[in-house]
């Protein structure tokens, strides 16, 4: 029995603990389900990274233009991340020496240092790739 | 979440959810004007419906209204979805500093939008509610008025269809 | 894969002296392989997942991402992007060690290995599961990694969907390497030397501030102390969340790391790391807490230093 639509539920954190560990064991041994999981996670990732469309002003009060939906709030995080890539704003500890802080540089410097550690692993590299 | 406790005012709904409703409508229709009309209609229905609303799952209630407004609209206009280059993507091109990167990103999101519009409505709404709006399976089930198991299978099949549609395009 | 090696070696700790342990780790860190890896992390906002192609040789790991190609290892971070190559290098002197709060068990009897080949290593903390690794028998590479939150729920899961030992070239196409940028040692002002059970190993100058690197040998994070005017590279737009009863934190997740930004009365902080959520909670309680600027205190500092 393959996992089928449980794969999406697994990805979305919609499986209970028992079903989740069953899914993990199955995934670890079934290349078919792994590639299907890969396909749905790729689709999901692309939908989540669609840019946020700005509604006309009459639909949203101006003070709420930055509202983040509390539960998953994915849309706006993506927008924020995109904004961060386009303009890295920020200043050094010495306010007169204005050095922009960019999230990717911060993550890269962390991972560079972490890679000296014998505990370094690929998950750390993922942090940079998927900043 | 907290929304199951009290009945929100219309202003709260408009300010808290206006943007999300608009994005939901935009991704389902692929068209800014339609999205704007639809979001307007939803807020109107919410205003009419709030008086009769009893505390319960507010999210389920709100998204049921949104989704029904969308379906009514589709029936009325027999809409043929259009996959135009989205407006906000155009404005990104105008202001962003690294043209090739932004262009690549814009092309990608236009492709994803076009692929999305090629999905049958029940799959399209399921994946948009899940991945764009961020609703839980339970909330989607309440909005669409189908069992959670059906939601799960629509999301999964919708994502696989989306992948197929995108591969066909590349 | 050095982590795998570390764990493998640690499980032999009873028989091998510490110096041999470090030698073993260095040797097996040179395993060559190509792989396709799925990483899923369940943050408070839902799951984030990523599939990547990985190549490792000579202690360097190459991963191709949407923004370019990264080759990382041994303190070097080489980023190849449309505009060229960026090369960052760090050479810390502090020695690696493992927190004594972890217990390691190899092939625990009650856990059936989910992969056909491979050895399971389980890490427990206070009797509770913290991590589980399935290691490739030959190279020690973790074919599957599971990291658990304090309540026993799965926090991060990774699996090698394809794994081919041997014949890799992580440094291919890296011919015209520029000179590396080095990071000088520096000191943070308000960052303590211990947070939760993690210790500050070393600290460096960073763009816009100072980086303090914390580790417990298994997980690690950096705290960047920057100007209060900083927006944390856009992190200030992330959802404002309450952590351990304290509001004012902005947090986002990638499959491999959590990032938190907050402002205190005097400064701003960015924390980036792979630590699980309950550890993060404990750590944040020991770091400067979110707050509004104290005008009087600032005036006093400005006037009297
Ligand atoms: Zn299967």
């Amino acid at each position: 029995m393959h996992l089928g639509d449980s794969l999406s539920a697994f990805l979305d954190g919609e499986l209970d603990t028992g079903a989740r560990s069953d899914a993990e064991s199955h995934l670890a041994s079934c290349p078919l389900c792994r590639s299907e999981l890969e396909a749905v996670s790729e689709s999901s990732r692309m939908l989540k990274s669609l840019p946020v469309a700005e509604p006309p002003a009459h639909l949203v009060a101006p003070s709420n233009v930055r509202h983040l939906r509390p539960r998953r709030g994915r849309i706006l995080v993506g927008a924020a991340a995109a904004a961060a890539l386009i303009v890295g704003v920020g200043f050094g500890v010495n306010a007169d020496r204005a050095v922009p802080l960019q999230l990717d540089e911060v993550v890269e410097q962390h991972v560079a240092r972490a890679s000296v550690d014998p505990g370094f692993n690929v998950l750390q590299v993922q942090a940079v790739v998927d900043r | 979440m907290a929304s199951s406790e009290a009945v929100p005012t219309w202003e709260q709904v408009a300010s808290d959810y206006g943007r999300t409703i608009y994005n939901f409508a935009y991704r389902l229709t692929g068209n800014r004007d339609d999205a704007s009309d639809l979001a307007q209609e939803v807020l109107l229905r919410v205003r009419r419906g709030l008086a009769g609303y009893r505390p319960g799952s507010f999210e389920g209630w709100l998204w049921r209204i949104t989704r029904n407004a969308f379906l009514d609209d589709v029936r009325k206009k027999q809409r043929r979805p259009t996959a135009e280059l989205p407006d906000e993507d155009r404005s990104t091109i105008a202001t962003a500093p690294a043209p090739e990167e932004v262009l690549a990103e814009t092309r990608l999101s236009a492709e994803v939008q076009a692929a999305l519009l090629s999905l049958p409505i029940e799959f399209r709404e399921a994946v948009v509610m899940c991945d764009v709006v961020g609703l839980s399976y339970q909330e989607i089930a309440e909005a669409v008025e189908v069992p959670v198991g059906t939601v799960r299978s629509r999301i999964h099949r919708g994502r696989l269809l989306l992948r197929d549609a995108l591969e066909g395009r590349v | 894969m050095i982590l795998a090696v570390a764990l493998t070696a640690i499980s032999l700790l009873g028989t091998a002296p510490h110096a041999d342990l470090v030698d073993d780790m260095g040797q097996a860190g040179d395993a060559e392989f190509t792989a396709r890896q799925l990483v899923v992390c369940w943050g408070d906002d839902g799951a984030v997942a990523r599939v990547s192609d990985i190549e490792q040789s000579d202690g360097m790991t190459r991963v191709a991402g949407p923004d370019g190609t990264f080759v990382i290892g041994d303190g070097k971070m080489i980023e190849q992007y449309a505009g060229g190559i960026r090369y960052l290098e760090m050479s810390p002197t502090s020695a690696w060690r493992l927190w004594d709060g972890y217990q390691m068990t190899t092939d625990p009897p009650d856990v059936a290995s989910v992969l056909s080949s491979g050895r399971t290593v389980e890490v427990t903390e206070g009797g509770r599961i913290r991590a589980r690794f399935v290691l490739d028998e030959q190279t020690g590479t973790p074919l599957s990694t599971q990291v658990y939150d304090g309540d026993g729920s799965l926090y991060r899961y990774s699996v090698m969907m394809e794994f081919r030992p041997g014949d890799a070239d992580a440094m291919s196409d890296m011919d015209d390497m520029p000179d590396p940028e080095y990071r000088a040692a520096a000191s943070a002002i308000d960052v303590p030397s211990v947070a939760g059970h993690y210790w500050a190993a070393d600290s460096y100058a960073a763009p816009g501030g100072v980086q303090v690197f914390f580790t417990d040998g298994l997980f690690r994070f950096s705290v960047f102390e920057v100007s209060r005017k900083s927006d944390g590279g856009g992190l200030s737009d992330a959802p404002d969340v309450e952590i351990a009863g304290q509001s004012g934190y902005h947090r986002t997740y990638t499959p491999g790391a959590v990032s938190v930004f907050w402002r205190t009365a005097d400064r701003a902080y960015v924390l980036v790391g792979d630590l699980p959520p309950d550890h993060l909670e404990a750590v944040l309680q020991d770091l400067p807490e979110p707050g509004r600027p104290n005008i009087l205190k600032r005036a006093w500092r400005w006037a009297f230093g």
Side-chain angles (χ1 to χ4, degrees):
Chain A
M1 240 326 240
H2 290 297
L3 291 169
D5 52 27
S6 294
L7 286 169
S8 278
F10 173 75
L11 183 68
D12 294 329
E14 293 269 356
L15 292 182
D16 60 35
T17 321
R20 189 144 92 183
S21 61
D22 290 350
E24 281 163 31
S25 318
H26 183 93
L27 275 170
S29 62
C30 177
L32 220 69
C33 283
R34 283 199 294 267
S35 66
E36 190 168 329
L37 179 63
E38 183 189 339
V40 291
S41 68
E42 197 60 16
S43 288
S44 166
R45 193 179 60 76
M46 279 195 280
L47 287 173
K48 281 167 185 151
S49 60
L50 282 172
V52 181
E54 198 55 55
H58 67 273
L59 287 175
V60 193
S63 62
N64 289 291
V65 162
R66 300 170 76 84
H67 174 76
L68 293 160
R69 188 170 184 278
R71 194 174 155 274
R72 292 194 185 175
R74 183 114 38 204
I75 334 186
L76 284 250
V77 179
L85 285 179
I86 293 169
V87 273
V89 192
F91 299 92
V93 166
N94 303 319
D96 49 332
R97 188 179 63 100
V99 179
L101 179 143
Q102 297 200 19
L103 192 55
D104 51 357
E105 288 187 1
V106 163
V107 178
E108 282 168 14
Q109 184 162 338
H110 167 68
V111 173
R113 170 56 185 85
S115 75
V116 180
D117 214 59
F120 170 71
N121 67 62
V122 178
L123 297 177
Q124 290 290 321
V125 183
Q126 284 284 346
V128 184
V129 175
D130 214 315
R131 61 210 176 187
Chain B
M1 288 188 59
S3 49
S4 59
E5 298 295 315
V7 180
T9 65
W10 181 81
E11 286 74 16
Q12 269 175 327
V13 178
S15 71
D16 286 2
Y17 293 94
R19 185 190 182 92
T20 316
I21 292 170
Y22 176 77
N23 270 275
F24 170 80
Y26 179 46
R27 291 307 169 196
L28 280 186
T29 60
N31 178 301
R32 281 186 87 86
D33 293 339
D34 287 349
S36 176
D37 292 352
L38 190 57
Q40 185 113 330
E41 170 67 19
V42 169
L43 289 177
L44 219 82
R45 291 187 189 193
V46 167
R47 195 206 289 262
R48 281 203 300 266
L50 269 179
Y53 170 74
R54 293 283 160 272
S57 168
F58 177 74
E59 298 270 332
W61 179 80
L62 176 70
W63 292 103
R64 190 156 62 243
I65 288 184
T66 306
R67 181 265 177 174
N68 287 339
F70 169 65
L71 287 187
D72 289 350
D73 199 41
V74 170
R75 276 182 217 117
K76 209 162 59 198
K77 293 187 187 165
Q78 281 300 318
R79 180 193 318 290
R80 313 211 98 242
T82 51
E84 58 180 49
L85 185 64
D87 296 358
E88 99 272 24
D89 295 341
R90 275 193 213 113
S91 66
T92 315
I93 296 170
T95 54
E100 346 36 72
E101 282 163 43
V102 176
L103 266 173
E105 200 166 291
T106 302
R107 200 174 57 227
L108 181 67
S109 67
E111 271 168 19
V112 174
Q113 178 69 65
L116 196 53
L117 291 174
S118 74
L119 303 193
I121 282 176
E122 66 266 36
F123 299 112
R124 201 193 315 163
E125 71 178 1
V127 296
V128 169
M129 280 179 170
C130 179
D131 288 327
V132 176
V133 179
L135 298 184
S136 69
Y137 286 15
Q138 182 61 42
E139 287 165 340
I140 299 173
E142 283 166 19
V144 182
E145 296 178 289
V146 297
V148 174
T150 309
V151 170
R152 172 204 275 218
S153 111
R154 284 182 185 176
I155 289 171
H156 189 66
R157 288 186 55 195
R159 285 174 178 164
L160 289 175
L161 285 170
L162 188 72
R163 190 265 322 252
D164 293 346
L166 282 165
E167 276 180 356
R169 233 163 250 286
V170 173
Chain C
M1 186 56 37
I2 310 175
L3 171 63
V5 178
L7 292 168
T8 317
I10 288 154
S11 62
L12 302 172
L13 200 55
T15 55
H18 189 77
D20 290 353
L21 174 73
V22 176
D23 283 352
D24 284 350
M25 291 187 301
Q27 269 189 356
D30 291 337
E32 283 195 18
F33 66 85
T34 57
R36 178 149 243 240
Q37 185 197 40
L38 167 76
V39 185
V40 189
C41 175
W42 288 271
D44 285 358
D45 324 324
V48 277
R50 162 73 76 195
V51 174
S52 315
D53 292 310
I54 300 163
E55 198 165 345
Q56 178 174 299
S57 66
D58 303 315
M60 301 298 283
T61 308
R62 163 197 288 256
V63 178
D67 302 324
T69 299
F70 298 87
V71 181
I72 297 170
D74 196 26
K76 301 177 183 69
M77 198 292 309
I78 304 153
E79 177 188 9
Q80 197 177 39
Y81 59 106
I85 293 179
R86 186 166 170 253
Y87 180 7
L88 184 66
E89 183 161 353
M90 304 178 90
S91 30
T93 48
S94 66
W96 174 85
R97 67 187 164 92
L98 187 71
W99 181 46
D100 57 15
Y102 291 129
Q103 292 81 43
M104 305 268 171
T105 318
T106 304
D107 290 327
D110 52 333
V111 177
S113 174
V114 291
L115 295 174
S116 49
S117 72
R119 167 179 52 225
T120 302
V121 177
E122 205 166 77
V123 184
T124 55
E125 178 186 336
R128 316 193 76 166
I129 178 79
R130 177 55 74 186
R132 189 178 291 134
F133 303 86
V134 179
L135 310 174
D136 178 48
E137 288 287 5
Q138 288 189 334
T139 62
T141 307
L143 301 176
S144 160
T145 307
Q146 296 159 43
V147 174
Y148 291 83
D149 195 1
D151 64 3
S153 63
L154 186 63
Y155 171 61
R156 185 180 291 116
Y157 172 71
S158 81
V159 63
M160 296 292 191
M161 301 195 291
E162 287 161 32
F163 180 74
R164 292 176 300 278
D167 234 18
D169 184 7
M171 292 298 286
S172 61
D173 320 324
M174 294 286 175
D175 303 330
D176 307 317
M177 290 281 290
D179 289 336
E181 296 170 43
Y182 288 100
R183 291 285 181 255
S187 302
I189 301 162
D190 286 334
V191 179
S193 58
V194 173
H197 67 259
Y198 291 75
W199 57 90
D202 29 54
S203 58
Y204 305 87
V210 174
Q211 170 198 24
V212 185
F213 181 81
F214 286 84
T215 180
D216 70 354
L218 186 59
F219 306 107
R220 53 210 69 73
F221 63 90
S222 288
V223 177
F224 291 82
E225 184 175 70
V226 295
S227 158
R228 198 175 193 284
K229 287 177 186 166
S230 170
D231 73 342
L235 271 179
S236 62
D237 288 338
D240 192 329
V241 292
E242 198 173 274
I243 303 177
Q246 173 77 53
S247 61
Y249 295 108
H250 302 271
R251 179 181 57 193
T252 61
Y253 295 92
T254 64
V258 60
S259 304
V260 186
F261 171 79
W262 72 100
R263 291 191 176 96
T264 67
D266 305 304
R267 276 170 268 283
Y269 294 88
V270 178
L271 181 152
V272 181
D274 62 347
L275 71 176
D278 60 324
H279 284 182
L280 176 66
E281 267 191 29
V283 160
L284 287 177
Q285 281 168 341
D286 292 340
L287 293 174
E289 66 180 38
R292 305 195 156 278
N294 185 330
I295 302 297
L296 279 180
K297 201 167 130 196
R298 285 166 81 92
W300 180 270
R301 278 200 183 166
W302 178 81
F304 304 107

